[in-house]
Amino acid sequence: MAGAAVLPVAVFGCRPRVAGGVCFLEEQVVLHAAGAGCLRLHLEHKWHNFISGTEKSRGVQALAVSTSRRFLALSEAAGERPVLAVYELTAERARRRRALAAAELPARQVVSLAFSPDSQFLAAATAPPEGHLTFWLWEKQQLAASVRVPAAGDGPCQVSFNPQDNTQVCITGNGFFKLFKYSEGYLKQMNLQRGEPENYLCHAWLSEEEVICGTDKGKLSLFETGQLHWETSLEYRKPPKELKEDTTTKEYESGLAFEDNGLQQHSLPQISAVAAYSKGFACSPSPGVVLLFEKNEEKEGYEESQEVWLPQDLFSTEPKKSGRQDITCICFSPSEETMVVSTNKNQLYMFTMFSTKLKREKTSYFAYMNFPLHSNSITGLDMCTWKPILATCSLDRSVRIWNYKTNTLELCKEYQEEAYTVSLHPTGFFCLVGFSDKLRFLSLLYEDMRIFKEFAVKKCRECSFSNGGHLFAAVNGNVIQIYSSITFENVTNLKGHTGKVQAIKWSADDTKFVSCDTHGAVYEWNLLTGKKESECVLKTCIYSSISLTYDAKIIFAVGSDQTLKEISESSIQQEVPAYDAVYTTVAVSRSGSMIFVGTSLGTIRAMKYPLTLKKGFNEYQAHAGAVTKMTVTNDDQFLLTASEDGCIFIWKVHDREGGGLKGEQELQYAEEVLIMRSDIDEKSQAILDLQICVKDLQTESDYELRLKDMYCEGKIKALEENFAQEVDSLKTKHQILQEEKEKQELQHQVQLSELMDQQAREVQRLESDSSQKLLMENEKYQELQVKSQKMEEEYEKQLHNLEESKSKAVAELKEHYEKKLKDKAGLLEEAKKNMKKQIQAQEEMEKQIYEDADKEILEIKDKYEKELLEEKESNIQLKGEIGVLNKRLNSLQKELKDRNRDIEEMRLEQQKLQDIIKSLEKEITALKTEVKERTDTILEKEKHIYDLKMKNQELQNFKFVLSYRIEEFKKQIESRENHIETMRKQIDEMEDELEQFRKESTELKMNITQLQQKQKATAREVHREMEKKQNMETLIKRFKSDLHNCVSFIDDSKKMKDRIRELYTKYVHQSDLVEVQAVDADLQQQYEKQQEYHERNLAVLRKRVMKDKEMQHAAYMRILQENVSLIKEINDLRQELRVAYAQVHDLQSALKLNKDKKAIEDTAPSNELLSSPAVLRLNPEMESEKIIEMQQLEIQYLRDQIQEKGQVVTVQVQSLLVRNLPELNLERHHKTEQH
């Protein structure tokens, strides 16, 4: 037996589309499908307990928990037939209780399971259309009954028991709703289905007689004793819209809403999940929403009470789509305080039900049960040396940072591109991620991931930081690029691989580097020289992963040939077979004594080094897909694995021989975190603001406390007077009651004496009567004794006769039964032999069970000791938090009263501001209309430009044909070369003219920059005004505090007058009134100056645009004339060529050289020459027209560009004017209101 062993400590992932995939075991313990098994998760303490599936399991298809929550039934896909297993959940580690016979099951997979209320029976439904309903006595592993349930087509199928009846079963599916009753080994149908068949997707029992069903068309049907009792149809629900003040976001949301409406027109409501609770039931009619229904006492049926929506994922690039997930399962906690749902994208959400009582809101929102999980295959995994964190990336385009000590998600961010690989810097402050378009260097901040540097490496499948962190390697196809993580320079490129590089690994001292590829090559590189030190090539194997020992002497590699290879000194030293599996990943512990391998079946194998050819490993069933990545922490305490099923497993490593593992007390992790300076400034500013608020609240609270003390003292005096009066009145009442009590005691004594006399008389009378009765009874007793003696003598005679007959019968029976005993003795001996065999087998089983139990007890001890320490610490923290919360409650109640007063004052201010807003909204609407008109014109111009580009492409193709013909003319006509040179000179002149146009465009850009600088100056002035506003607010706060001080002198009128005069001299100045009037005049002058300046700029720009148009028109006319002259010359040359070819042909026919072979060789090129003009120039007029059209289009394109530049300039100038005008109006309006 191998010495290495691992135990799953935490699992991050969820398996989607599992029937009954989520359920509660306790109030804070949730069980859900994950990987190739199930996970028990405590919501508060965050501990994980994984229940592994059967051997070669490919994942859970359905699960069910008994009503007592003691047993768990699983349906797994393993091989050709399904596997049904029942586990006992009472222990710390779930124990497999029974495995039901697969031979008695139908061949198709089991899609739904259900326990009876007393947990004796188990019902299982197989997949349609040829579905079966099986009824099991699972304790005896006996199939009690089976019924075929045909369906109209594929679709979900669900089975459940009546909550009060162990023998009644309900099953729904595509086209059927049936109730069965189990009796005498058969399942008999109880109901007759009427009406058109529906596709029932789900159902739930509301009571002993009522069943609610949901269809694929959004219809809810309530059946009572098998008959339709109530029915309603639900609509496709749209997510609630949140109104925002920003107009740009409103336009964006309206566009998205239009797209959503278009999608919803083609989609129908579909009830994907239903669950019952004490008040009614919950269902999901459309993606992302759960509706709660409660029973309507006035009317028959149920009424919608609340809708609960999935939240939008803020880390996602498309947050609105993240909330539109299909809800596949709903469950409630035992106390019905929390509701948990699972979705088709591997996510789990929870909702607290008691909030509905407090808020009574129509719409509410779920929250993540713990944190968002991966929804697709994990492609990259890496861990950090300084911190207990690991990084993962997935095809769901997200990068996540996990903490494997606290079992939490620390960072998460989604990107636009898919991520293929990830690597963590040893410090934990930086991260490398290979995306489909680039390789990105990210800095891991306190609450975000920020892109620090990008590298042009497309589809980087592997990247890795060195152990020192000063270098990192990135794979670019078959080349490995080494970069400096300090200067980001490309240090070296390692070239030599012929196939794609699949895996890379650094040595411990960062001097060596190992890589493998798809062509079976494993290379060892020296980074100092950049050359290969050793190589091992096996072309028949496609390597997928490699690993190095700490001393870098031994390489372990796995690939497609189903073996684990030990490579050293450029050769394969040993090959260990995989036994009907493909190894996908490999990892070696730092000590080198343990090797871990992941397979394509999702299993983890732990081996001991040195390797043996025998089957000497421990295999653990974990993932439901192939293991993609695996790594061991530097302290050899944990093994981290990731898979294609989107799950991450954290394993605790145990060395049974006790070698190579470090103690947990030696580990000390860094706690430093990166944070942006802007974030620190924002938080420090927020702290300062809060401190100011606290001071203000303290002064207000002190003042209120004084007033309350005065009020309470007055109340106390009034209460003391009232209490004194009440005490006097009570004393008088007490004296009266005492006198009445003495009178009643005398009356009771007299009555008691009379009663005692009566009782004595009755006792004497009863004694005389009883003595007479005793004498009469004694005489009767003597007579009965005589009769009984006679009866005894008669019975003795009868008994003697019966004993004689009995002895004879007993002798006969002895002989008969002795014969039977002899026969049974032989049978007993045979049974004893069988029992001995069974006892021996049972003893062996008990030994194995005791060994497993000892292992589990040791693990349980460690866990509970840790949990006790954590719970003690948490209890101490909770006590402190409770005291703080009580103080906060008292302070919040005071704040509520103050806020209510502030709200009333703010309402009055709001009415004033609404009038201003209305006037501004009118201006905004006018500006919006202008923006829409301009956008429409821009769209039309873009369409026109696109059409011109398409024509330009066609003309370029035609140009290519013409260039080919021109090259042939160059070979034949040498005289045209001089003319072409002159044309080139003309082209150079045209390019010079284009450069002039470019210079003019640069001048226009300079003007634009000047305008932008002026705009910045106006922004600075606005900033100054904001600072003035802040100063005014501080003055107002000081004035308020001084006013509060004045209020304390309300009783003394003289002091009150003196203080008010001091306030007036302190805060009121005559210069302020003069400055306000001067500021209005200055603003008006500045506005007029800016308007004149912008009008002058507009006039200058218009003149320049007109000059540019005239220059372009002149150039266009000159180019037209030159093109026409060139076309005429080309046509003349073609006519001369025709005449020359005709003369050559006439000479050849006159000499009659057609018969000779040489003549044939000579005439062949002539024929080609004769045919070439026909091919080159079929229609000279059409060619000239096409050339003219090409040149006209180019000229038109240049004109359009000039016009667009002119329009852009005018739009920018107008926008500057429009921006400045409203600001001036607003400032003037604000100042008039202050006056």
Side-chain angles (χ1 to χ4, degrees):
M1 191 71 179
V6 293
L7 184 73
V9 177
V11 181
F12 304 131
C14 178
R15 183 175 173 83
R17 300 200 179 279
V18 176
V22 184
C23 52
F24 274 90
L25 300 180
E26 297 175 14
E27 188 61 34
Q28 292 292 327
V29 180
V30 177
L31 183 138
H32 66 86
C38 292
L39 178 68
R40 283 193 288 188
L41 172 65
H42 199 285
L43 298 177
E44 186 176 353
H45 299 302
K46 307 295 182 187
W47 56 257
H48 295 211
N49 187 353
F50 182 68
I51 303 168
S52 61
T54 57
E55 188 178 355
K56 295 182 180 179
S57 173
R58 301 299 292 172
V60 178
Q61 302 295 323
L63 63 88
V65 176
S66 63
T67 51
S68 61
R69 293 178 173 82
R70 284 186 59 200
F71 303 108
L72 167 68
L74 295 180
S75 165
E76 300 172 85
E80 296 180 355
R81 290 189 175 274
V83 176
L84 283 181
V86 180
Y87 294 81
E88 190 172 357
L89 300 173
T90 53
E92 177 69 21
R93 290 281 171 191
R95 184 166 61 88
R96 189 170 179 177
R97 184 79 175 269
R98 292 284 186 273
L100 305 183
E104 297 181 9
L105 284 168
R108 296 178 69 86
Q109 62 182 356
V110 174
V111 294
S112 183
L113 294 169
F115 275 102
S116 62
D118 60 356
S119 305
Q120 289 184 0
F121 297 104
L122 178 67
T126 59
E130 296 179 358
H132 285 77
L133 174 62
T134 55
F135 204 78
W136 294 82
L137 279 163
W138 64 272
E139 286 279 3
K140 298 180 180 179
Q141 296 181 343
Q142 179 183 349
L143 181 64
S146 177
V147 173
R148 186 174 175 273
V149 185
D154 292 331
C157 180
Q158 186 182 351
V159 65
S160 64
F161 273 92
N162 188 323
Q164 303 296 329
D165 191 353
N166 295 327
T167 59
Q168 190 175 0
V169 182
C170 175
I171 184 168
T172 57
N174 191 352
F176 63 89
F177 165 77
K178 295 184 179 182
L179 294 171
F180 288 96
K181 185 84 173 178
Y182 173 72
S183 63
E184 298 178 357
Y186 293 98
L187 287 168
K188 298 178 182 178
Q189 188 172 348
M190 295 174 61
N191 67 322
L192 292 173
Q193 194 167 350
R194 296 177 181 176
E196 295 182 0
E198 298 275 355
N199 184 5
Y200 296 104
L201 301 179
C202 51
H203 73 268
W205 288 85
L206 301 180
S207 64
E208 187 178 355
E209 297 178 347
E210 292 181 346
V211 182
I212 189 76
C213 298
T215 69
D216 61 344
K217 294 180 181 178
K219 190 184 290 184
L220 283 172
S221 303
L222 180 66
F223 293 92
E224 190 171 349
T225 62
Q227 302 297 323
L228 185 63
H229 180 66
W230 174 76
E231 192 174 29
T232 184
S233 294
L234 302 179
E235 296 179 354
Y236 189 91
R237 296 299 174 107
K238 299 178 184 178
K241 296 179 180 179
E242 296 179 359
L243 297 174
K244 297 183 180 179
E245 294 179 359
D246 193 358
T247 57
T248 57
T249 54
K250 282 183 181 178
E251 290 176 358
Y252 178 71
E253 285 178 353
S254 64
L256 287 174
F258 179 76
E259 291 177 2
D260 291 339
N261 290 331
L263 289 170
Q264 289 166 7
Q265 286 175 0
H266 299 288
S267 59
L268 294 172
Q270 181 174 303
I271 297 169
S272 57
V274 171
Y277 68 107
S278 59
K279 291 184 179 180
F281 63 91
C283 68
S284 174
S286 56
V289 65
V290 172
L291 303 182
L292 298 177
F293 284 82
E294 295 182 1
K295 193 157 189 177
N296 192 348
E297 296 178 356
E298 296 177 358
K299 300 178 182 178
E300 292 185 357
Y302 290 82
E303 208 173 40
E304 182 185 341
S305 61
Q306 192 177 16
E307 58 182 21
V308 189
W309 286 87
L310 295 183
Q312 293 182 1
D313 191 359
L314 300 176
F315 302 109
S316 175
T317 54
E318 296 176 344
K320 293 199 173 181
K321 288 186 179 179
S322 65
R324 304 294 283 170
Q325 303 176 39
D326 291 334
I327 294 169
T328 56
C329 185
I330 305 171
C331 68
F332 292 92
S333 63
S335 64
E336 295 183 353
E337 287 185 359
T338 55
M339 174 174 60
V340 172
V341 299
S342 65
T343 69
N344 62 336
K345 291 187 178 178
N346 306 17
Q347 304 300 325
L348 294 169
Y349 297 91
M350 65 182 294
F351 176 69
T352 52
M353 295 291 289
F354 64 83
S355 64
T356 58
K357 296 178 183 177
L358 297 174
K359 294 182 181 178
R360 291 290 180 186
E361 293 180 354
K362 185 67 177 174
T363 58
S364 300
Y365 290 91
F366 283 97
Y368 282 107
M369 196 173 80
N370 275 329
F371 33 71
L373 303 169
H374 280 297
S375 61
N376 209 333
S377 174
I378 297 171
T379 55
L381 180 143
D382 196 19
M383 60 90 187
C384 175
T385 55
W386 283 26
K387 297 179 180 181
I389 60 173
L390 64 111
T392 58
C393 63
S394 171
L395 295 178
D396 60 6
R397 302 178 300 174
S398 68
V399 180
R400 298 166 197 260
I401 308 296
W402 311 82
N403 192 317
Y404 57 82
K405 282 286 186 182
T406 59
N407 295 339
T408 55
L409 177 68
E410 291 195 349
L411 284 176
C412 173
K413 193 165 185 179
E414 189 173 326
Y415 295 88
Q416 295 289 342
E417 298 83 16
E418 291 181 347
Y420 298 125
T421 181
V422 67
S423 179
L424 269 175
H425 195 269
T427 60
F429 296 145
F430 307 103
C431 176
L432 262 180
V433 184
F435 291 97
S436 58
D437 60 343
K438 287 181 182 179
L439 176 69
R440 291 180 172 87
F441 189 95
L442 308 177
S443 56
L444 304 179
L445 304 178
Y446 177 62
E447 292 177 341
D448 193 14
M449 298 182 193
R450 182 173 167 268
I451 297 172
F452 189 77
K453 183 75 174 176
E454 292 183 345
F455 302 91
V457 182
K458 289 186 177 180
K459 293 184 179 179
C460 179
R461 298 283 179 176
E462 284 293 327
C463 65
S464 177
F465 277 103
S466 63
N467 293 309
H470 61 291
L471 298 172
F472 65 86
V475 174
N476 191 355
N478 55 5
V479 179
I480 303 168
Q481 298 176 348
I482 308 296
Y483 291 88
S484 171
S485 58
I486 299 166
T487 61
F488 299 111
E489 292 179 356
N490 190 355
V491 180
T492 55
N493 290 329
L494 305 179
K495 298 179 181 179
H497 283 285
T498 56
K500 289 185 178 180
V501 179
Q502 291 288 94
I504 55 177
K505 204 75 178 176
W506 294 82
S507 63
D509 56 0
D510 295 335
T511 58
K512 293 182 181 180
F513 191 80
V514 180
S515 61
C516 66
D517 63 10
T518 56
H519 289 181
V522 177
Y523 294 152
E524 185 177 347
W525 307 84
N526 189 338
L527 292 177
L528 298 174
T529 60
K531 295 180 180 179
K532 286 184 282 187
E533 279 194 351
S534 64
E535 62 180 22
C536 178
V537 181
L538 183 64
K539 293 184 178 180
T540 57
C541 178
I542 300 171
Y543 287 111
S544 59
S545 178
I546 56 171
S547 187
L548 268 174
T549 56
Y550 185 73
D551 56 3
K553 291 181 179 179
I554 302 170
I555 303 168
F556 295 97
V558 294
S560 60
D561 59 351
Q562 298 185 358
T563 57
L564 170 63
K565 296 177 181 61
E566 181 183 347
I567 302 169
S568 64
E569 297 178 356
S570 302
S571 62
I572 298 171
Q573 301 296 328
Q574 193 173 4
E575 291 187 12
V576 180
Y579 300 100
D580 299 330
V582 177
Y583 287 145
T584 55
T585 56
V586 63
V588 183
S589 64
R590 188 181 177 90
S591 62
S593 61
M594 291 175 287
I595 301 165
F596 304 99
V597 185
T599 68
S600 59
L601 300 175
T603 57
I604 307 297
R605 293 181 180 179
M607 304 178 184
K608 196 74 179 171
Y609 187 80
L611 299 172
T612 59
L613 295 174
K614 296 179 181 179
K615 199 173 182 179
F617 55 80
N618 292 324
E619 188 167 14
Y620 301 93
Q621 192 71 37
H623 295 283
V627 181
T628 56
K629 295 291 176 182
M630 176 188 292
T631 185
V632 182
T633 57
N634 288 328
D635 56 0
D636 288 348
Q637 293 287 337
F638 296 98
L639 171 70
L640 315 174
T641 61
S643 171
E644 290 178 354
D645 61 358
C647 288
I648 303 161
F649 275 72
I650 298 169
W651 306 78
K652 181 74 175 176
V653 180
H654 299 280
D655 191 358
R656 293 181 180 175
E657 295 180 1
L661 290 180
K662 298 179 181 178
E664 290 186 1
Q665 295 179 354
E666 298 177 5
L667 300 176
Q668 290 182 355
Y669 293 110
E671 296 181 355
E672 291 81 4
V673 175
L674 288 180
I675 189 166
M676 295 287 288
R677 182 166 288 177
S678 60
D679 295 339
I680 293 170
D681 293 338
E682 287 177 2
K683 288 183 179 179
S684 61
Q685 185 63 39
I687 289 164
L688 290 171
D689 294 339
L690 290 170
Q691 286 176 352
I692 292 164
C693 289
V694 167
K695 288 178 181 177
D696 294 338
L697 290 169
Q698 281 178 352
T699 54
E700 290 177 2
S701 63
D702 292 338
Y703 177 67
E704 287 178 357
L705 284 170
R706 287 176 189 171
L707 293 175
K708 284 181 180 179
D709 289 337
M710 298 285 287
Y711 177 70
C712 290
E713 285 175 359
K715 269 195 172 181
I716 288 164
K717 288 179 182 178
L719 289 170
E720 285 176 351
E721 292 175 356
N722 292 328
F723 280 126
Q725 292 176 0
E726 287 179 0
V727 166
D728 294 334
S729 63
L730 288 170
K731 283 180 180 178
T732 54
K733 286 181 181 179
H734 181 66
Q735 290 175 358
I736 294 163
L737 290 169
Q738 278 184 346
E739 291 175 356
E740 290 179 355
K741 183 184 175 184
E742 290 173 355
K743 290 179 182 178
Q744 288 178 358
E745 283 178 353
L746 292 169
Q747 290 177 0
H748 283 298
Q749 286 176 0
V750 173
Q751 289 176 359
L752 277 170
S753 60
E754 291 176 356
L755 288 169
M756 290 292 286
D757 296 335
Q758 288 180 0
Q759 189 176 7
R761 292 171 190 169
E762 287 180 357
V763 167
Q764 289 177 0
R765 186 174 56 78
L766 289 170
E767 284 178 355
S768 61
D769 293 337
S770 61
S771 61
Q772 291 177 1
K773 286 181 179 179
L774 282 169
L775 292 170
M776 294 290 288
E777 293 293 331
N778 193 7
E779 292 176 356
K780 288 180 181 178
Y781 176 70
Q782 289 176 359
E783 290 176 357
L784 289 170
Q785 274 185 346
V786 174
K787 287 182 181 179
S788 64
Q789 288 176 0
K790 292 179 181 178
M791 294 288 287
E792 282 178 2
E793 291 174 357
E794 290 177 357
Y795 280 121
E796 283 177 357
K797 292 178 182 178
Q798 290 177 359
L799 283 169
H800 183 70
N801 295 327
L802 288 169
E803 283 177 356
E804 290 178 354
S805 62
K806 188 178 180 181
S807 61
K808 293 178 182 178
V810 167
E812 293 175 356
L813 288 168
K814 276 184 180 179
E815 293 176 357
H816 178 68
Y817 281 110
E818 281 176 357
K819 292 178 182 178
K820 285 187 177 182
L821 281 169
K822 289 178 182 179
D823 297 333
K824 295 288 182 182
L827 293 170
L828 276 169
E829 289 177 358
E830 293 178 358
K832 285 177 181 179
K833 291 177 182 178
N834 293 326
M835 285 291 290
K836 286 178 181 178
K837 292 178 182 178
Q838 290 179 0
I839 288 162
Q840 290 175 357
Q842 189 175 0
E843 287 176 353
E844 291 177 358
M845 289 289 288
E846 285 178 354
K847 286 179 182 178
Q848 293 179 357
I849 289 164
Y850 282 125
E851 289 176 358
D852 296 332
D854 292 335
K855 295 174 189 174
E856 290 178 356
I857 287 160
L858 291 171
E859 294 169 0
I860 289 162
K861 279 183 180 179
D862 296 334
K863 281 192 175 181
Y864 275 117
E865 286 174 358
K866 291 177 184 176
E867 287 178 1
L868 279 169
L869 291 171
E870 290 175 356
E871 286 179 357
K872 285 178 182 177
E873 292 174 357
S874 65
N875 284 329
I876 293 164
Q877 290 177 357
L878 287 169
K879 286 178 181 177
E881 288 176 359
I882 287 162
V884 174
L885 288 170
N886 288 326
K887 292 178 182 177
R888 284 183 182 174
L889 274 171
N890 295 324
S891 63
L892 287 169
Q893 286 175 356
K894 294 175 184 177
E895 286 178 3
L896 278 170
K897 293 178 181 177
D898 298 334
R899 291 284 169 87
N900 289 326
R901 294 173 187 171
D902 294 334
I903 286 162
E904 290 177 357
E905 292 176 359
M906 291 296 288
R907 281 177 184 170
L908 297 171
E909 291 180 1
Q910 189 178 2
Q911 289 177 357
K912 295 178 183 178
L913 291 170
Q914 279 177 354
D915 297 329
I916 299 166
I917 289 162
K918 286 177 182 178
S919 62
L920 292 171
E921 282 177 351
K922 290 177 182 178
E923 294 177 0
I924 289 162
T925 52
L927 291 170
K928 279 184 179 179
T929 53
E930 288 181 3
V931 170
K932 286 180 181 178
E933 289 173 0
R934 289 178 183 175
T935 52
D936 294 333
T937 54
I938 288 162
L939 290 170
E940 289 176 359
K941 287 179 181 179
E942 285 177 352
K943 288 178 183 177
H944 186 60
I945 289 162
Y946 179 77
D947 296 333
L948 291 173
K949 284 181 180 178
M950 294 298 291
K951 289 179 182 179
N952 194 10
Q953 288 178 359
E954 292 175 0
L955 292 169
Q956 283 178 356
N957 296 328
F958 187 66
K959 184 179 178 182
F960 177 78
V961 175
L962 289 173
S963 63
Y964 179 76
R965 291 178 182 176
I966 288 162
E967 286 176 0
E968 289 181 350
F969 277 120
K970 283 179 183 178
K971 293 176 183 178
Q972 296 174 4
I973 302 165
E974 294 178 354
S975 61
R976 294 297 296 169
E977 289 179 355
N978 296 324
H979 187 67
I980 289 164
E981 288 178 358
T982 57
M983 292 299 291
R984 284 177 182 170
K985 290 178 182 178
Q986 291 177 1
I987 289 163
D988 292 332
E989 291 175 358
M990 292 294 290
E991 285 178 353
D992 294 332
E993 290 176 358
L994 282 170
E995 286 178 357
Q996 290 177 0
F997 287 125
R998 286 174 187 169
K999 288 177 182 178
E1000 290 175 358
S1001 64
T1002 53
E1003 289 176 359
L1004 290 170
K1005 287 179 182 177
M1006 290 294 289
N1007 291 327
I1008 290 163
T1009 52
Q1010 289 176 2
L1011 291 170
Q1012 287 176 351
Q1013 289 174 358
K1014 289 176 182 177
Q1015 187 181 2
K1016 288 178 181 177
T1018 55
R1020 289 172 188 168
E1021 289 177 0
V1022 171
H1023 183 66
R1024 289 173 188 169
E1025 290 295 324
M1026 291 294 288
E1027 288 178 351
K1028 287 180 182 178
K1029 185 182 175 183
Q1030 289 178 358
N1031 294 328
M1032 288 299 292
E1033 286 177 352
T1034 53
L1035 273 171
I1036 289 162
K1037 287 179 182 178
R1038 290 175 187 171
F1039 184 73
K1040 283 182 180 179
S1041 62
D1042 292 333
L1043 270 175
H1044 283 297
N1045 294 325
C1046 289
V1047 170
S1048 61
F1049 298 105
I1050 290 170
D1051 298 327
D1052 193 351
S1053 61
K1054 290 182 179 179
K1055 289 183 180 179
M1056 189 76 177
K1057 284 180 182 179
D1058 295 333
R1059 285 300 176 95
I1060 288 165
R1061 285 174 183 172
E1062 288 176 2
L1063 285 174
Y1064 183 81
T1065 54
K1066 187 176 179 181
Y1067 291 102
V1068 178
H1069 301 287
Q1070 293 180 354
S1071 60
D1072 293 335
L1073 300 171
V1074 177
E1075 285 177 1
V1076 170
Q1077 294 175 357
V1079 167
D1080 288 335
D1082 292 337
L1083 287 171
Q1084 186 65 29
Q1085 288 176 0
Q1086 287 178 1
Y1087 173 72
E1088 289 173 357
K1089 286 179 182 179
Q1090 286 180 356
Q1091 189 173 4
E1092 289 175 0
Y1093 178 77
H1094 290 308
E1095 286 174 356
R1096 288 173 188 170
N1097 284 332
L1098 273 173
V1100 172
L1101 291 170
R1102 282 173 182 166
K1103 287 177 182 178
R1104 287 181 181 175
V1105 169
M1106 292 300 291
K1107 286 179 182 179
D1108 293 337
K1109 284 182 180 179
E1110 290 174 0
M1111 292 288 286
Q1112 287 171 359
H1113 184 68
Y1116 169 69
M1117 293 302 293
R1118 190 182 64 217
I1119 291 162
L1120 267 178
Q1121 291 173 1
E1122 289 174 355
N1123 285 331
V1124 170
S1125 62
L1126 286 169
I1127 289 160
K1128 286 179 182 178
E1129 288 177 1
I1130 290 163
N1131 290 327
D1132 295 334
L1133 288 168
R1134 284 175 178 166
Q1135 287 177 1
E1136 289 174 3
L1137 280 169
R1138 272 188 177 179
V1139 173
Y1141 289 137
Q1143 289 175 359
V1144 171
H1145 185 70
D1146 293 336
L1147 289 169
Q1148 286 176 355
S1149 62
L1151 292 170
K1152 295 181 180 180
L1153 297 174
N1154 292 325
K1155 294 179 182 179
D1156 298 330
K1157 292 180 181 179
K1158 292 179 180 179
I1160 292 165
E1161 291 175 359
D1162 294 332
T1163 56
S1166 67
N1167 289 327
E1168 289 176 0
L1169 289 168
L1170 286 166
S1171 61
S1172 62
V1175 174
L1176 291 171
R1177 185 172 174 274
L1178 293 170
N1179 191 351
E1181 293 178 356
M1182 290 294 289
E1183 287 179 356
S1184 62
E1185 287 176 359
K1186 286 182 179 178
I1187 291 164
I1188 290 163
E1189 285 177 359
M1190 284 171 58
Q1191 293 171 351
Q1192 286 178 351
L1193 288 169
E1194 288 178 358
I1195 290 158
Q1196 186 65 32
Y1197 178 72
L1198 290 169
R1199 280 184 179 176
D1200 292 337
Q1201 283 186 342
I1202 291 161
Q1203 287 179 358
E1204 285 175 359
K1205 287 180 180 178
Q1207 287 177 358
V1208 167
V1209 172
T1210 54
V1211 168
Q1212 287 177 350
V1213 172
Q1214 288 176 0
S1215 63
L1216 288 169
L1217 290 168
V1218 170
R1219 286 176 189 170
N1220 292 324
L1221 286 169
E1223 289 175 359
L1224 293 169
N1225 290 328
L1226 284 169
E1227 289 175 358
R1228 190 180 298 166
H1229 183 69
H1230 181 65
K1231 288 181 178 178
T1232 52
E1233 282 186 348
Q1234 287 179 352
H1235 290 300

